[in-house]
Amino acid sequence: GNSVTQMEGPVTLSEEAFLTINCTYTATGYPSLFWYVQYPGEGLQLLLKATKADDKGSNKGFEATYRKETTSFHLEKGSVQVSDSAVYFCALSVAGGGADGLTFGKGTHLIIQP
Amino acid sequence: DVKVTQSSRYLVKRTGEKVFLECVQDMDHENMFWYRQDPGLGLRLIYFSYDVKMKEKGDIPEGYSVSREKKERFSLILESASTNQTSMYLCASTQSSYEQYFGPGTRLTVT
C-alpha cells in the first residue's frame, strides 16, 4: 500500500534558522507529492507540490524536490519566521490530481521562537 | 475565492446518537472527501465521492456512511456515535487540479 513517513515533532527552532522536515514515501506507480500546512484553528492548505521526479515545488520561501531515487520529498526553508509556526503534512496521490484522496504523513508540528 | 464550509466548528454528542456533518463547496468540484484527523495519526480518509450519488470507501469507513444528493454538498453520517469517533473531521474537494481544498474542520466530541 501507499504510505508517507515524516519526522515526528514538535520541532522547535529560533527565528531565522534553517528548516528541514524530512519526508519519505512508499507508493505504487508514480505518485504526485504535496506539502500541506495547517495553521492553528484552520483547515489544511496546499503549500507546494511536485508531480514528477526531479520537480521542485516552491512557495512562500519553502522548497521541496521530488527525489525518486531516495523516495523523498524533504521540505526546506532558509530562514524561518514566527508566522511559520504550524503543522506541516507531507502527502501523496497516485491518481492524477488527488481525485482518489490523499495519503498523509502524521504531521510535524513546527514551533518558531522569536 | 474558493470556499469549503462545514456546518459546525464544534459539536458535542452523546454515545448512540445519529450525527450529521455537512460540507458545502462553491467551486463546482466533482470530487469531495471526508477525513478524520487525530494526534499522532495524521489525516485518514473515511469516504470520498467523485459524482452525485456516488461514493467510495476510504481507509477507515467502518462506523460511517455518506450522502451526496447534490454536487456541492457531501454529508458524513455517524449512525450511532461512539467515543472512539471523537476527532477532528475535515472535508475537502478537488477538480483534479492536484490541489484539494479543505474546510476549517469540525471538532466532534462524543461523550
Side-chain angles (χ1 to χ4, degrees):
Chain A
N2 303 322
S3 67
V4 175
T5 302
Q6 60 183 106
M7 55 194 298
E8 300 283 337
V11 173
T12 303
L13 295 172
S14 298
E15 205 166 20
E16 300 184 2
F18 185 86
L19 168 71
T20 300
I21 301 178
N22 291 334
C23 171
T24 57
Y25 67 89
T26 302
T28 55
Y30 300 97
S32 297
L33 301 173
F34 308 84
W35 276 101
Y36 279 81
V37 59
Q38 185 178 35
Y39 297 103
E42 299 183 12
L44 277 71
Q45 52 186 277
L46 181 66
L47 181 59
L48 53 84
K49 65 178 186 281
T51 58
K52 62 182 188 295
D54 300 323
D55 269 2
K56 177 186 282 188
S58 61
N59 186 27
K60 299 181 181 180
F62 291 89
E63 292 184 341
T65 301
Y66 189 144
R67 301 286 187 200
K68 185 180 176 184
E69 63 277 11
T70 55
T71 62
S72 65
F73 192 55
H74 304 322
L75 182 68
E76 296 182 337
K77 186 174 185 182
S79 176
V80 293
Q81 305 301 313
V82 172
S83 58
D84 294 326
S85 298
V87 181
Y88 293 80
F89 292 92
C90 186
L92 68 82
S93 170
V94 289
D100 62 338
L102 294 166
T103 299
F104 285 90
K106 294 181 179 181
T108 302
H109 187 193
L110 176 65
I111 301 169
I112 308 300
Q113 296 178 334
Chain B
D1 196 17
V2 299
K3 200 161 187 181
V4 178
T5 57
Q6 296 184 227
S7 50
S8 305
R9 292 300 299 270
Y10 300 93
L11 206 55
V12 180
K13 295 292 182 181
R14 294 191 181 276
T15 301
E17 279 193 81
K18 190 169 186 176
V19 181
F20 292 86
L21 302 182
E22 305 286 339
C23 175
V24 177
Q25 50 95 1
D26 65 357
M27 298 162 281
D28 202 36
H29 285 169
E30 292 182 352
N31 306 296
M32 297 187 73
F33 309 84
W34 276 106
Y35 297 88
R36 64 177 281 176
Q37 181 180 7
D38 300 288
L41 296 176
L43 277 77
R44 293 176 291 167
L45 182 64
I46 304 171
Y47 267 97
F48 63 102
S49 168
Y50 53 87
D51 201 354
V52 175
K53 296 191 184 297
M54 305 302 290
K55 61 183 179 183
E56 295 285 343
K57 293 180 180 179
D59 298 320
I60 52 163
E62 296 79 17
Y64 303 94
S65 62
V66 290
S67 173
R68 191 156 181 214
E69 297 297 319
K70 294 185 178 181
K71 190 175 185 179
E72 68 271 18
R73 188 180 297 268
F74 192 36
S75 302
L76 180 69
I77 304 159
L78 287 65
E79 295 289 344
S80 178
S82 63
T83 55
N84 63 11
Q85 293 178 309
T86 291
S87 186
M88 171 72 86
Y89 290 88
L90 293 167
C91 175
S93 71
T94 187
Q95 190 62 28
S96 297
S97 62
Y98 294 100
E99 178 171 0
Q100 291 197 6
Y101 295 88
F102 283 81
T106 296
R107 186 167 294 281
L108 172 68
T109 302
V110 182
T111 62

